[in-house]
Amino acid sequence: MAKKQFKAESKRLLDMMINSIYTHKEIFLRELISNASDAMDKLYFKSLTENIGLSRGDFAIDLAIDKEARTLTITDNGIGMTKDELENNLGVIAQSGSFKFKNDNTDTQNDDISVIGQFGVGFYSAFMVASEVTVESKAYGSEEAYKWYSTGVDGYTITDCDKDSYGTKITLKIKDNTEEEDYDDFITEYKIKGIVRKYSDYIRYPIRMMVGHSHLKEGTEDQYETHYELETLNSMVPLWKKNKSEITEEEYNKFYKEKFFDYEDPIAHIHTKTEGTATYNALMYIPSKAPFDYYSKDYEKGLQLYSNGVLIMDKCADLLPDCFSFVKGLVDSADLSLNISREMLQHDRQLKIIAKSLERSIKNELNKMLKNDREKYEKFFTAFGLQLKFGVYNGFGAGKELLKDLLLFYSSFEKKYVTLAEYVARMKEDQKYIYFASGETIDKIDKLPQTELVKDKGYEILYLVDSIDEFALQMMVDYAEKQFKSVAAGDLDLETDEEKAELKQKSEESKDMFAFMKEALGGKVKDVRISKILKTHAVCLTSDGILSLEMEKVLSHMPSEHNAKAEKVLEINAQNPIFDTLKKLYETDKDKLKIYAELLYDQALLIEGMAIEDPVEFSNKLCKLMTE
Ligand code: ADP
C-alpha cells in the first residue's frame, strides 16, 4: 500500500505546528474535541433539515485511555468522513472542511449550526503529543468505513476498515516521555479530566470517560479496589449563555471566584448579550481589590476568549483598554475568524468591534455605580482610580472623554471625594478656574500657604495626592470648558484693581532688593517677587512655566539622566513683617540679607516637601541667628 505524501505546503505547516505554533501541547485535546463537536453539529443540522430523527441527546464524545498501549482515543458519533473527505480534510492542511460546510449553507437560516474550526490545522496538533495517529471514520449513511494512518511529516495511508456505527474514532499513540515533556500526562486520567475542564467545559455535548474510583475492599481494612464509572467531564451549559434572570448573585460570584481565583466577591458584574455588527456574550467582573501585582509590570490584562464555548485564549489583551485592565471575565463569540492557531488570534476587525463595545459597557456600569451606589464606587476608585488617571494621561489624553466623569478627587470642602461635575456645579459665580493643589497627604496640602488665598475667596480646591494627578489634569486641559489651575501657579489673577496697583507699586520699590536676593541665591530661582497668593505666611515657592513643583518632585524619582526642573519663584508676602526686615537689611547689611534669602528659600523648599540642598548649612545659619 503506497504511502501518500502531504502536499508540500502542508509538510511545512505540519512541521511548524509540531515544533512551534502551540505553546501548550495539551491544547491538542481541545482541537480534537472541537472537531468532534463540529462533526456532531453537522449531523444534528442534517437531522433537522432532513428529518433523520436524531436529537441533541443522542450525541456524545467518548474518551478512553489505555495505559499499557499508551493510547488515548477520542470517539464521536458525528457526521463522519468518506474516503474522499479523509483524503481532502486530513491530507491537506489549511483546507478546512468546516469552512466549506459553513459556506455551502449560507442560504439556510439556521443559528444552530455553528462551526468552531475555521481553518484546517487543528487536527494536526495531535502530532505534538502522538507518534502515530489513526483516524477511523464512517460517514453517516455510508456502508464503508476507512482508516487514515500517519506517523507525521512523512505522509499517510488510507485503507478500508471495519466500523460498526457512523462517526469518527481517533487513536493517538502517545509519545514516550522526554526530558522536557511529560507525555504521560496524556494517558493520565485526572490530567485529561483537567484539560477537558479547562478548555472544553462548555462544549454542548457530553464528553465522557470511564473514571476509576478506588475504595476499601469490603471486609478488609487496607486493601483497595477500583471500580469504573462513566462520567461526564464537562459542565456543558456556560453560565454566560443562560438568561440573566436565571442566574443568582451567588452563582455569578461563585463563578468569578472559581474561575479567576479570588477570595472575595467582585464589586460588580457585567453580563451582556450583543447582536449586530458583532454577536457575542460577555461576562465581566470588577474585582473589589487590586491584585497584589496590579500596579506592576508582571500584571497581565485580558479577557478569556471563547468561540462557542471553546476556550481560544486565556488572556486576550486586545479586548480590554489599558484603563480598564482590572476587569476580569470572558467573551464568547461565534463569529470570530480564527487564524492558523487558535492561540494566536488575528487582530481582526471583529475583535476590535467587540473591544470597543466592551469598553462602553464597562464605562456605563461604572457610571451607574457612581450614580446609584456612591460608597461602592468610592471603594472601587480607591482600588483602581489610579489606573483611570493613568488612562487619562497615557495616549496624550485620548482617554479623556471616556474617563473624565469617572474620576474622583479629594476636595478642600469636606476632605471627601468629588467628581469634576460636582465641582463645576458648585463653582462660585465669579470663579474662572478649577483649582488644585498637590502634596503628599490631604492634611499637608490643607496647610500649604499657597492654598490660603483661594480658600479665602471661598473657592473649592482639588487636593491631589497621587503623583500622576497633575500630569493627568494637564493632559485634560479643561473640564466643562473650565481650565485647571494650580493654586501655586503664581499668577491666579484674583486681586482687585486696587490691590493690583498697590502690588505694582511695592514691587517697583523693591525691584533692586529682589534682584539682589535672586543673585544671592545663585541661579536656584528664576525670580524673587512679592506674592499675590499669600495672606499671612511669610514665603512660598511657585513655578513659572508648565512644569510644576509637584511634577519636578515626581520626575526626580524617575531614572533619567537629566531631571527636569521647575522654574522656581520665591514669593515673599509683603504683608508679613519679614518684608520690612528684608527692606531694612537691604539698606544696612547686605551680607545678612544674603543669608536671609538663603534661609527663606530653604524654608520654602521645606514647606513644599522638597529636600534642601545642605541641611547642615541650614541648621548652622539658623543657630547663628539664634545666638546673635
Ligand atoms: P478545522 O477543524 O479547523 O477545520 P482540522 O484540521 O481540525 O481543521 O480538521 C480538518 C477537517 O477534517 C475538518 O474541517 C472536518 O471537515 C474534518 N474533521 C476533523 N475531525 C473530524 C471528525 N471528528 N469528524 C468529522 N470530520 C472531521
Side-chain angles (χ1 to χ4, degrees):
M1 162 193 46
K3 199 179 249 179
K4 293 194 182 181
Q5 293 294 311
F6 288 108
K7 298 243 166 86
E9 277 303 292
S10 309
K11 231 170 172 169
R12 264 218 330 272
L13 265 173
L14 185 53
D15 215 36
M16 220 165 86
M17 165 82 57
I18 296 170
N19 296 311
S20 60
I21 289 184
Y22 290 110
T23 40
H24 305 290
K25 293 204 182 324
E26 64 191 22
I27 60 90
F28 78 93
L29 190 56
R30 173 191 76 184
E31 299 297 315
L32 298 183
I33 287 174
S34 296
N35 279 351
S37 168
D38 285 355
M40 299 192 291
D41 274 348
K42 287 175 194 170
L43 184 53
Y44 179 61
F45 174 69
K46 195 174 166 71
S47 166
L48 288 177
T49 49
E50 295 172 25
N51 255 329
I52 296 169
L54 286 168
S55 65
R56 274 218 186 277
D58 295 324
F59 296 99
I61 298 167
D62 285 305
L63 306 182
I65 289 171
D66 185 336
K67 268 190 180 314
E68 302 277 288
R70 286 191 78 78
T71 60
L72 172 66
T73 57
I74 298 109
T75 310
D76 68 67
N77 52 358
I79 198 157
M81 281 175 277
T82 63
K83 190 176 179 187
D84 278 355
E85 282 167 343
L86 274 174
E87 172 93 32
N88 292 331
N89 293 339
L90 306 187
V92 187
I93 301 186
Q95 156 142 8
S96 172
S98 302
F99 196 61
K100 192 158 177 295
F101 187 85
K102 201 174 185 180
N103 285 345
D104 288 349
N105 285 280
T106 40
D107 51 336
T108 335
Q109 262 282 310
N110 196 316
D111 289 342
D112 243 352
I113 176 109
S114 46
V115 180
I116 299 159
Q118 298 269 306
F119 293 93
V121 286
F123 168 76
Y124 295 92
S125 60
F127 287 106
M128 293 193 297
V129 301
S131 53
E132 298 170 35
V133 178
T134 310
V135 182
E136 294 159 273
S137 196
K138 190 176 193 174
Y140 183 84
S142 159
E143 294 300 315
E144 292 105 42
Y146 294 93
K147 182 159 93 178
W148 182 99
Y149 171 82
S150 171
T151 54
V153 256
D154 49 328
Y156 60 90
T157 58
I158 296 178
T159 51
D160 297 350
C161 74
D162 289 328
K163 190 174 188 308
D164 293 339
S165 57
Y166 57 87
T168 302
K169 178 180 173 186
I170 299 180
T171 307
L172 309 180
K173 170 99 179 171
I174 300 297
K175 291 181 187 172
D176 288 327
N177 279 350
T178 62
E179 263 178 33
E180 301 93 56
E181 196 71 39
D182 194 0
Y183 290 103
D184 280 357
D185 282 0
F186 308 123
I187 43 172
T188 305
E189 224 172 66
Y190 81 95
K191 291 277 184 184
I192 292 294
K193 260 170 94 163
I195 300 172
V196 171
R197 284 254 179 74
K198 181 168 176 193
Y199 295 102
S200 313
D201 201 30
Y202 305 112
I203 291 284
R204 53 182 138 180
Y205 303 102
I207 302 166
R208 304 179 303 193
M209 186 166 72
M210 291 299 279
V211 177
H213 297 276
S214 85
H215 49 83
L216 267 184
K217 206 165 174 180
E218 228 171 287
T220 72
E221 272 175 22
D222 55 0
Q223 288 182 34
Y224 287 85
E225 62 183 1
T226 309
H227 83 276
Y228 286 86
E229 252 174 49
L230 190 63
E231 265 183 30
T232 297
L233 309 182
N234 55 331
S235 57
M236 292 195 280
V237 183
L239 184 72
W240 61 90
K241 286 208 172 164
K242 289 188 185 168
N243 281 327
K244 283 192 217 177
S245 56
E246 292 169 20
I247 311 172
T248 63
E249 197 66 24
E250 280 72 42
E251 276 180 285
Y252 274 124
N253 291 351
K254 185 168 167 282
F255 182 82
Y256 165 77
K257 286 186 282 192
E258 280 176 11
K259 210 152 177 96
F260 301 105
F261 312 107
D262 198 347
Y263 301 104
E264 282 184 56
D265 285 339
I267 210 162
H269 69 259
I270 309 165
H271 187 183
T272 58
K273 287 184 191 210
T274 308
E275 277 168 29
T277 32
T279 301
Y280 67 90
N281 293 322
L283 178 54
M284 296 182 285
Y285 293 93
I286 300 169
S288 52
K289 276 211 186 102
F292 73 94
D293 63 346
Y294 183 61
Y295 290 105
S296 82
K297 278 202 309 294
D298 297 334
Y299 182 81
E300 249 186 279
K301 67 164 183 168
L303 298 179
Q304 288 192 329
L305 185 60
Y306 287 81
S307 173
N308 259 327
V310 180
L311 182 66
I312 299 172
M313 203 176 190
D314 202 30
K315 278 198 175 137
C316 183
D318 297 330
L319 285 170
L320 280 180
D322 278 337
C323 58
F324 295 148
S325 61
F326 47 82
V327 172
K328 304 269 183 201
L330 56 92
V331 172
D332 191 352
S333 171
D335 50 24
L336 282 170
S337 70
L338 307 178
N339 77 354
I340 183 159
S341 144
R342 290 185 176 119
E343 278 192 315
M344 303 192 312
L345 192 81
Q346 268 176 347
H347 294 188
D348 71 358
R349 232 173 58 84
Q350 284 293 324
L351 206 66
K352 292 213 175 77
I353 297 173
I354 295 176
K356 203 77 215 149
S357 125
L358 293 178
E359 183 181 284
R360 254 193 321 271
S361 306
I362 298 168
K363 179 189 162 175
N364 291 345
E365 179 66 30
L366 290 175
N367 256 327
K368 206 170 77 190
M369 197 195 298
L370 175 58
K371 240 202 223 129
N372 303 336
D373 193 340
R374 181 66 172 237
E375 207 181 314
K376 208 177 191 183
Y377 188 81
E378 291 191 2
K379 192 176 167 202
F380 155 77
F381 196 84
T382 305
F384 299 111
L386 204 54
Q387 189 63 16
L388 300 186
K389 292 186 281 193
F390 275 117
V392 171
Y393 177 69
N394 291 335
F396 301 101
K400 169 182 166 177
E401 281 311 307
L402 179 73
L403 300 169
K404 63 181 184 186
D405 285 311
L406 294 175
L407 301 179
L408 298 178
F409 295 96
Y410 282 105
S411 150
S412 58
F413 278 7
E414 296 136 341
K415 316 285 180 304
K416 285 205 294 207
Y417 273 140
V418 277
T419 64
L420 293 174
E422 287 160 355
Y423 181 104
V424 170
R426 61 191 191 204
M427 271 170 78
K428 297 221 154 189
E429 228 166 86
D430 58 348
Q431 187 179 342
K432 276 194 246 160
Y433 301 108
I434 300 175
Y435 293 103
F436 65 85
S438 303
E440 228 173 291
T441 62
I442 305 295
D443 278 350
K444 282 192 185 169
I445 303 173
D446 206 34
K447 291 193 189 119
L448 275 182
Q450 292 95 320
T451 61
E452 256 192 319
L453 179 68
V454 181
K455 272 193 211 153
D456 213 51
K457 289 260 175 198
Y459 298 161
E460 186 171 15
I461 305 172
L462 300 176
Y463 284 176
L464 310 183
V465 287
D466 287 321
S467 42
I468 185 68
D469 288 346
E470 247 187 67
F471 293 89
L473 291 190
Q474 196 176 76
M475 204 51 97
M476 284 176 76
V477 186
D478 58 10
Y479 177 88
E481 289 170 14
K482 305 281 181 203
Q483 283 190 356
F484 296 104
K485 191 139 194 119
S486 166
V487 296
D491 187 13
L492 293 179
D493 197 19
L494 288 174
E495 318 74 33
T496 59
D497 288 344
E498 222 167 274
E499 286 165 336
K500 273 184 192 155
E502 195 188 336
L503 263 171
K504 198 166 171 207
Q505 193 199 339
K506 276 193 179 155
S507 297
E508 200 56 42
E509 286 166 12
S510 324
K511 209 171 70 193
D512 296 340
M513 174 182 83
F514 286 142
F516 175 84
M517 287 173 77
K518 182 185 164 187
E519 187 70 29
L521 288 172
K524 286 179 199 149
V525 294
K526 187 197 160 210
D527 217 351
V528 180
R529 45 171 103 110
I530 291 186
S531 178
K532 297 176 187 169
I533 56 176
L534 291 175
K535 298 281 293 179
T536 57
H537 298 276
V539 284
C540 73
L541 279 180
T542 58
S543 74
D544 279 359
I546 54 161
L547 202 66
S548 72
L549 297 166
E550 195 57 28
M551 288 167 154
E552 177 184 318
K553 266 189 266 175
V554 176
L555 294 174
S556 74
H557 293 306
M558 295 183 179
S560 158
E561 278 169 21
H562 35 265
N563 280 323
K565 295 265 184 249
E567 293 183 303
K568 298 187 191 72
V569 175
L570 181 65
E571 299 202 357
I572 312 284
N573 184 358
Q575 257 84 260
N576 188 288
I578 191 74
F579 185 62
D580 294 327
T581 308
L582 294 173
K583 278 204 301 197
K584 213 178 294 158
L585 285 178
Y586 184 65
E587 302 300 331
T588 59
D589 190 347
K590 290 216 170 61
D591 287 342
K592 200 166 199 174
L593 178 60
K594 182 172 185 291
I595 295 171
Y596 274 37
E598 286 162 355
L599 276 174
L600 285 172
Y601 174 69
D602 281 350
Q603 288 175 49
L605 281 175
L606 287 174
I607 291 170
E608 203 47 50
M610 299 174 93
I612 54 179
E613 235 164 71
D614 191 343
V616 177
E617 185 61 27
F618 174 74
S619 165
N620 287 346
K621 277 183 209 147
L622 260 189
C623 285
K624 189 156 174 279
L625 280 180
M626 289 160 108
T627 47
E628 262 176 13

